[in-house]
Amino acid sequence: MIRDIHDFSSPHFDVEQYIAHLGTLKDEDIFPAYGALALSCLTHDGLSPARYAHHLQSLEREVAAAYKGKADIEAQHLALKSVLCDECKYRVDDENPEDLQNASMMRVIDRGRGLPIALAILYIHAGRAQGWDVVAVNFPGHILCRIHHEGQRILFDPRSDCQIMTAPDLRRLLKATLGDEAELSVDYYDALDNRDVLHRLQNIIKFRQIALEDYEGALETALNMHIIDPQEYRLMLDLGVLYMRVDRLDAARDMLLRYIECAPHSRDRQEAELLLEQMHLQGD
């Protein structure tokens, strides 16, 4: 795995090769922060990734110093909070939440502002560098971080200055999202895989590019995610639709046919079959 800062500093560093390498790795061997940084490089040609990789390593050292080797889950949480939240002042950008900069790791580091998932990636990176069990949790309507240590668990909110989320807090958050009848479920505490974390970040970028009618940009975003996760069949449907949007109909047909071959259920295949029929009726 390319992880050392010197790889990012090397004049021979190739970001596209790095992203292709991610697609060959087991999920547990992926570092989401470095993956997000590499993806950010693709849209910031003038910025050197070395400086940002150095910042990630600086976070590792500062959290280690703040923790001081205490075998305590509360101390782990406090070390992360004191460095990323209190010292570095990382915050969610509530003023301009739709700004694409909030999903670009380079710009998040530059501005100290970003989406909750982008901030969660930084907390995960700094914590795992210490050997801690830190993950992102896809709680309904909300990204949380979870630390697990010796049978204890802490959930904290990267949106709210690392606030520890108690059961009443989680219940209120859930009901605000799903309605008063909703109740907590163990499924809501499941960790996102490393590829899922990158998917979540890139999907936000893709959806905003589509909203801006930047279909070429959305296609590029989806293609990069397909490289990182070539086994994710649902990306093939996205790519088929986006190829249609930019009038690359042969590529659209090929991708939709691949999706139909891979999709496990007939209901999953129906949309692609309808799109292929639409293309046929339009004379392609």
Side-chain angles (χ1 to χ4, degrees):
M1 172 65 185
I2 302 171
R3 182 176 184 271
D4 191 283
I5 186 174
H6 299 296
D7 293 307
F8 284 87
S9 301
S10 169
H12 304 295
F13 177 76
D14 186 323
V15 66
E16 292 183 359
Q17 184 180 31
Y18 179 90
I19 291 170
H21 179 63
L22 295 179
T24 69
L25 295 176
K26 295 179 180 179
D27 189 82
E28 59 266 28
D29 293 329
I30 292 175
F31 291 79
Y34 285 107
L37 175 58
L39 290 163
S40 183
C41 290
L42 297 174
T43 52
H44 295 89
D45 291 339
L47 298 178
S48 168
R51 177 165 67 89
Y52 300 93
H54 177 76
H55 177 72
L56 294 175
Q57 290 198 334
S58 177
L59 293 178
E60 298 175 19
R61 293 191 297 270
E62 291 175 22
V63 169
Y67 181 60
K68 300 178 181 177
K70 302 172 185 176
D72 185 313
I73 192 170
E74 287 82 6
Q76 292 178 4
H77 169 259
L78 182 59
L80 291 171
K81 179 182 185 302
S82 64
V83 173
L84 280 86
C85 181
D86 299 339
E87 294 179 22
C88 295
K89 308 294 185 186
Y90 277 109
R91 297 290 186 275
V92 169
D93 186 356
D94 289 321
E95 293 183 6
N96 301 289
E98 301 301 315
D99 192 334
L100 281 170
Q101 294 183 99
N102 291 318
S104 167
M105 188 53 65
M106 284 181 161
R107 297 300 294 136
V108 170
I109 291 172
D110 283 338
R111 300 162 67 238
R113 296 287 184 275
L115 295 167
I117 185 63
L119 302 189
I121 288 172
L122 294 175
Y123 285 108
I124 290 167
H125 180 83
R128 287 183 181 172
Q130 320 309 318
W132 304 341
D133 183 1
V134 186
V135 299
V137 172
N138 191 21
F139 195 80
H142 219 71
I143 285 290
L144 301 175
C145 291
R146 187 188 76 204
I147 308 173
H148 192 271
H149 178 68
E150 295 184 350
Q152 293 182 295
R153 182 179 68 189
I154 283 178
L155 276 82
F156 68 89
D157 188 352
R159 174 185 291 277
S160 302
D161 297 344
C162 279
Q163 174 192 350
I164 293 177
M165 302 296 287
T166 65
D169 294 328
L170 294 169
R171 193 170 289 109
R172 283 193 294 271
L173 185 60
L174 180 69
K175 291 180 183 297
T177 302
L178 299 182
D180 291 338
E181 301 303 314
E183 293 296 339
L184 294 174
S185 166
V186 293
D187 295 340
Y188 298 157
Y189 306 118
D190 289 345
L192 290 170
D193 289 340
N194 295 317
R195 280 189 173 87
D196 289 337
V197 169
L198 292 175
H199 268 296
R200 182 71 175 251
L201 184 68
Q202 293 303 108
N203 271 338
I204 293 170
I205 294 173
K206 181 188 67 181
F207 291 140
R208 291 183 182 171
Q209 288 170 323
I210 290 172
L212 294 169
E213 298 185 359
D214 177 13
Y215 300 118
E216 290 284 358
L219 175 61
E220 189 68 23
T221 299
L223 282 169
N224 287 321
M225 281 314 304
H226 186 52
I227 291 170
I228 291 174
D229 194 359
Q231 304 306 316
E232 176 49 76
Y233 70 92
R234 287 169 293 190
L235 283 168
M236 298 176 191
L237 179 60
D238 291 347
L239 287 167
V241 172
L242 288 167
Y243 276 130
M244 289 180 67
R245 285 283 193 174
V246 298
D247 293 323
R248 294 172 61 179
L249 300 183
D250 287 342
R253 184 189 300 105
D254 290 345
M255 194 59 68
L256 291 171
L257 289 171
R258 287 178 58 191
Y259 171 79
I260 289 169
E261 289 178 1
C262 296
H265 303 294
S266 60
R267 63 178 179 275
D268 295 324
R269 298 189 289 269
Q270 186 175 12
E271 183 176 356
E273 290 166 348
L274 289 172
L275 288 170
L276 286 169
E277 182 179 352
Q278 176 184 335
M279 291 171 63
H280 177 71
L281 291 174
Q282 289 175 348
D284 177 63

